[in-house]
């Protein structure tokens, strides 16, 4: 286990799409380090022979017949959108224009 | 009207059936109670939204059906007309759903959760939406973007979390029933610290369709009430297979009401109760431990065989939970990006690209605890650390499940204190995330393994409620109702009345509300 640096947190914040100012990064770095230290023992709990369990139940794909069922109308789907136009969600530019 | 709000859901339902009172009267009594104690500077603040008009309309519909009599009246659900409060993490048409986050301020769901479909079909008037820690992340309801909920037993203390609003609404007689969600204890721990009953059903036995996901492999919707029997009624109503939830069990709904009634005879002859060695003693407040020990004596006197069981890997459960849960959080909350719903925040300066809008929106929309968990989850899942953190945590999940399997070979149900401490004062742990996380140490193993659990009021320590938790194997929810109802009966016989009648500030608030 390695310590978490401020640069690590800044990188994680970028990955998670959360803007953080310097003060937030500083605070988060300290808190995360303490939390990660406290849960480090988890990595020593099980040997290689213990299988991982991702879920309380055995999961399987659930399929349905390919028939049209009840779905939201375009009006319902767009009713909470911050911006919409012609039955579509309207988003800011994907690419930086500069 | 005070007597109407003091009734259990089962007792109120009986009065509605007999025609002694109407549902409109019952709903109005609870709305009056909410108006009297929920608002203002020292209000309980259990509700984020009150749904008076619709609740009264549903109540009037039930009353009209009963008045007309005939087959439709006969086929009404036993709880028809009994009001209920809904945790604001569960989506509802016609009322806002915010998850107590600024991100979803004012959001109106275009569809109902499956549990809401069932509540509408059974005609339970919905009083409104209850407060929670933002996106259900916390153990104190101090992380709500809309202010704290207060514990009705002591208004300066936390009501537990994340379902503090649902528990406080029921404890303060603002609703006889409520729905919560339990990811690491968010129904049971608030139940414990408010002197109410909270149940986490077997994972997959109640549909999660329409519950805003926090950690999908752990989340479970469940009932909150003042009696074990009331939770059994509500649990039976909301359980069952749902094809819209791919993790929904196909098993028939167990006879929980019957189990609660059998338990209420107070006879536990033949029941093997396992005390989980690792969930007692060190780390548990002395008063909590004392109440727990006294409950064990009562269980023995009622015929239960009490044995000690060891779950050696439970010591890793909290750590594993705080890796698995944030990992799933980081994925589940990626959808809150300012595109399809919720608020959209534009960057203060520079180019307005989607990436920068997402960053600004999520920075402004999420509170500190949510950000902390998203970042922790992103870290646990990142290249180079995945095996050490997430992979190891999933192995611990296997070990915890094996511990449960071994323990359930020795005992029919397991028992522990629900929370290591009574309700703490606001702010006392808010700067120390680790200390806050320890509140869920006794409830988390059940979520990792998917087994059912109940918290029942176990007495007072320092004048504040202590909870006793029973756990059973997956799909054996009836066992926790039998054991929970038995302990409830034995304790109430010892006290001479339900625990909730011993709440001093609550009693004063009741008088004020009634005045």
């Amino acid at each position: 286990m390695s310590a978490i640096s401020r640069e690590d947190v800044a990188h994680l914040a970028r990955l998670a799409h959360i803007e953080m100012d310097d003060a937030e990064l500083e605070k988060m770095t300290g808190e995360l380090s303490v939390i990660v230290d406290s849960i480090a023992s988890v990595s020593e709990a099980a040997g290689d022979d213990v299988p991982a369990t991702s879920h309380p139940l055995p999961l399987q794909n659930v399929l349905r017949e390919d028939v049209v069922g009840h779905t939201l109308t375009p009006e319902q789907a767009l009713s909470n959108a911050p911006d919409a136009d012609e039955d579509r969600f309207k988003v800011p530019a994907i690419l930086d224009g500069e | 009207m005070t007597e109407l709000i003091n009734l259990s859901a089962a007792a109120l339902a009986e009065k509605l059936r007999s025609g002694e009172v109407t549902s409109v009267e019952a709903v109005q009594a609870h709305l009056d109670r909410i108006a009297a104690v929920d608002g203002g500077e020292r209000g309980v603040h259990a509700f984020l939204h009150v749904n008076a008009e619709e609740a009264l309309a549903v109540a009037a519909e039930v009353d009209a059906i009963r008045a007309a009599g005939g087959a439709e009246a006969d086929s009404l659900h036993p709880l028809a007309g009994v009001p209920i409060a809904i945790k604001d993490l569960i989506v509802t048409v016609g009322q806002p759903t915010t998850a107590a986050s600024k991100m979803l301020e004012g959001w109106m769901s275009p569809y109902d959760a499956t549990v809401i479909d069932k509540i509408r079909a059974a005609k339970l008037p919905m009083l409104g939406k209850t407060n929670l820690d933002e996106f259900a992340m916390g153990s104190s309801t101090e992380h709500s973007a809309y202010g704290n909920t207060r514990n009705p037993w002591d208004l300066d203390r936390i009501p537990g979390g994340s379902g503090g609003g649902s528990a406080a609404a029921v404890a303060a007689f603002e609703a006889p029933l409520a729905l919560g969600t339990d990811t690491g204890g968010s129904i049971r721990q608030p139940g414990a610290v408010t002197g109410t009953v909270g149940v986490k059903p077997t994972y997959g036995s109640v549909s999660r369709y329409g519950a805003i996901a926090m950690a999908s492999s752990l989340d479970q919707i469940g009932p909150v009430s003042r009696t074990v029997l009331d939770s059994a009624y509500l649990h039976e109503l909301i359980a069952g297979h749902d094809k819209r939830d791919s993790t929904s069990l196909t098993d028939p709904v167990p006879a929980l009401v019957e189990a609660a009634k059998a338990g209420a005879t107070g006879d536990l002859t033949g029941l093997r109760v396992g005390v989980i060695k690792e969930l007692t003693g060190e780390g548990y407040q002395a008063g909590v431990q004392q109440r727990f020990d006294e409950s064990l004596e009562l269980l023995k006197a009622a015929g239960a065989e009490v044995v000690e069981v060891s779950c050696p890997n439970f010591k890793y459960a909290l750590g594993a939970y705080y890796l698995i849960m944030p990992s799933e959080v980081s994925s589940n909350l990626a959808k809150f990006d300012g595109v399809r719903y919720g608020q959209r925040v534009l960057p203060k300066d520079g180019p307005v690209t989607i990436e920068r809008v997402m960053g600004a929106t999520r920075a402004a929309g999420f509170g500190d605890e949510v950000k902390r968990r998203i970042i922790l989850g992103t870290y646990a899942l990142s290249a180079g650390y995945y095996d050490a953190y997430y992979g190891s945590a999933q192995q611990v999940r296997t070990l915890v499940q094996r511990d449960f399997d071994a323990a359930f070979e020795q005992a029919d149900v397991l028992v522990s204190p629900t929370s290591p401490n009574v309700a703490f004062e606001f702010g006392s742990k808010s700067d120390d995330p680790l200390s806050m996380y320890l509140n869920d140490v006794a409830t988390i193993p059940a979520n990792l393994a998917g087994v059912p659990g109940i918290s029942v009021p176990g007495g007072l320590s320092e004048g504040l409620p202590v909870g006793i938790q029973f756990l059973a194997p997956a799909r054996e929810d009836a066992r926790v109702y039998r054991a929970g109802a038995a302990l409830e009966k034995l304790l109430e016989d010892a006290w001479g009345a339900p625990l909730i009648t011993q709440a001093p500030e609550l009693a004063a608030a009741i008088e004020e509300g009634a005045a």
Side-chain angles (χ1 to χ4, degrees), chain B residues 429-454:
Chain B
K429 294 180 195 283
S430 49
D431 290 332
D432 184 357
L434 265 188
S435 151
M436 180 76 85
Y437 296 168
L438 280 169
N439 274 279
D440 299 332
V441 69
T443 48
I444 277 171
N447 298 83
L448 289 173
V451 304
I454 192 171

Side-chain angles (χ1 to χ4, degrees), chain B residues 18-367:
Chain B
S18 70
E20 195 178 328
V21 295
T22 66
S23 177
V24 167
E25 287 171 329
V27 168
Q28 190 58 55
H30 286 91
L31 291 171
D32 291 347
R33 174 68 175 169
I34 293 167
V37 304
D38 207 61
E41 213 168 292
R42 297 284 290 172
V44 175
H45 191 40
F47 284 86
L48 292 177
H49 173 77
V50 178
N51 185 43
E53 200 176 321
E54 188 195 315
L56 287 167
V58 171
E61 189 189 338
V62 173
D63 290 341
I65 292 169
R66 284 222 164 89
E72 198 180 358
D74 292 342
S75 64
L76 279 174
H77 187 273
L79 290 176
V82 176
I84 186 169
I86 310 293
K87 185 177 185 179
D88 200 25
L89 194 71
I90 300 171
V91 304
T92 47
V93 171
Q95 304 179 67
T97 302
T98 68
S101 178
K102 281 188 207 164
M103 185 65 85
L104 285 176
E105 191 165 5
W107 182 63
M108 298 290 287
S109 174
Y111 67 98
D112 275 327
T114 295
V115 292
I116 300 299
D117 280 345
K118 290 178 181 244
I119 280 167
R120 287 193 202 277
K123 300 191 190 304
L124 276 70
M126 288 188 281
L127 293 166
K129 306 296 286 289
T130 54
N131 202 6
L132 64 150
D133 285 296
E134 183 179 3
F135 286 108
M137 297 181 202
S139 305
S140 67
T141 315
E142 290 170 294
H143 296 300
S144 166
Y146 304 104
N148 301 345
T149 294
R150 295 171 179 277
N151 191 321
W153 288 75
D154 178 344
L155 297 173
D156 293 319
R157 290 176 187 264
I158 61 108
S162 65
S166 286
V170 170
F173 298 94
E174 296 173 85
L177 295 171
L179 282 184
T181 64
D182 190 314
T183 304
S186 289
I187 296 175
R188 289 163 288 157
Q189 182 257 1
V193 300
T194 60
T196 56
V197 175
V199 179
K200 183 200 97 69
T202 291
Y203 181 85
S205 65
V206 175
S207 171
R208 285 178 294 106
Y209 179 79
I212 296 174
M214 173 185 168
S216 310
S217 78
L218 305 161
D219 297 340
Q220 189 57 72
I221 295 176
V224 182
S225 64
R226 290 191 294 271
T227 72
V228 174
L229 180 62
D230 285 359
S231 273
Y233 273 111
L234 181 55
H235 190 155
E236 276 195 23
L237 167 59
I238 59 175
H241 178 64
D242 180 11
K243 65 181 181 183
R244 293 181 294 187
D245 175 354
S246 65
T247 58
S248 175
L249 295 173
T250 53
D251 307 38
V253 178
L256 306 172
V257 170
E258 195 182 297
K261 285 181 175 171
T265 61
D267 180 11
L268 288 177
T269 305
L271 190 77
R272 295 174 304 160
V273 176
V275 178
I276 308 168
K277 191 172 79 173
E278 288 76 12
L279 297 184
T280 57
E282 195 185 344
Y284 289 75
Q285 284 178 347
V288 171
Q289 186 66 42
Q290 276 172 19
R291 296 295 87 76
F292 176 66
D293 292 340
E294 289 161 11
S295 290
L296 287 184
E297 291 307 315
L298 286 177
L299 294 174
K300 282 183 203 166
E305 179 194 344
V306 176
V307 296
E308 186 178 84
V309 298
S310 178
C311 295
N313 294 295
F314 279 19
K315 61 177 176 286
Y316 303 114
L318 189 73
Y321 176 81
Y322 276 96
L323 288 165
I324 293 168
M325 173 272 295
S327 296
E328 295 188 22
V329 161
S330 70
S331 170
N332 274 324
L333 269 63
K335 62 180 168 280
F336 298 103
D337 56 8
V339 172
R340 287 153 294 176
Y341 38 72
Q343 60 169 310
R344 175 180 292 177
V345 177
L346 301 181
K348 289 193 185 84
D349 45 39
V352 181
T353 64
I354 185 69
E355 192 166 354
R356 298 197 68 230
V357 169
M358 280 185 201
T361 297
R362 288 161 66 81
F366 291 142

Side-chain angles (χ1 to χ4, degrees), chain A:
Chain A
M1 304 290 166
S2 57
I4 297 180
S5 69
R6 192 176 173 286
E7 287 65 38
D8 291 334
V9 177
H11 176 61
L12 294 167
R14 274 194 299 277
L15 291 176
H17 294 297
I18 301 174
E19 275 182 9
M20 284 193 189
D21 59 26
D22 290 343
E24 260 188 305
L25 285 175
E26 202 64 44
K27 186 161 178 273
M28 187 75 75
T29 303
E31 288 169 349
L32 281 190
S33 296
V34 171
I35 294 169
V36 168
D37 282 352
S38 76
I39 56 185
S41 64
V42 167
S43 65
E44 296 147 17
D48 294 341
D49 57 329
V50 177
T53 299
S54 67
H55 210 267
L57 301 171
L59 290 179
Q60 58 183 38
N61 248 346
V62 177
L63 305 175
R64 65 164 175 81
E65 294 300 313
D66 186 17
V67 293
V68 177
H70 171 73
T71 57
L72 297 180
T73 63
E75 292 74 27
Q76 286 174 321
L78 293 166
S79 60
N80 288 282
D83 200 1
D85 190 21
E86 294 183 358
D87 283 357
R88 295 178 178 89
F89 294 99
K90 193 171 175 185
V91 298
I94 300 294
L95 300 173
D96 186 346
E98 290 186 353

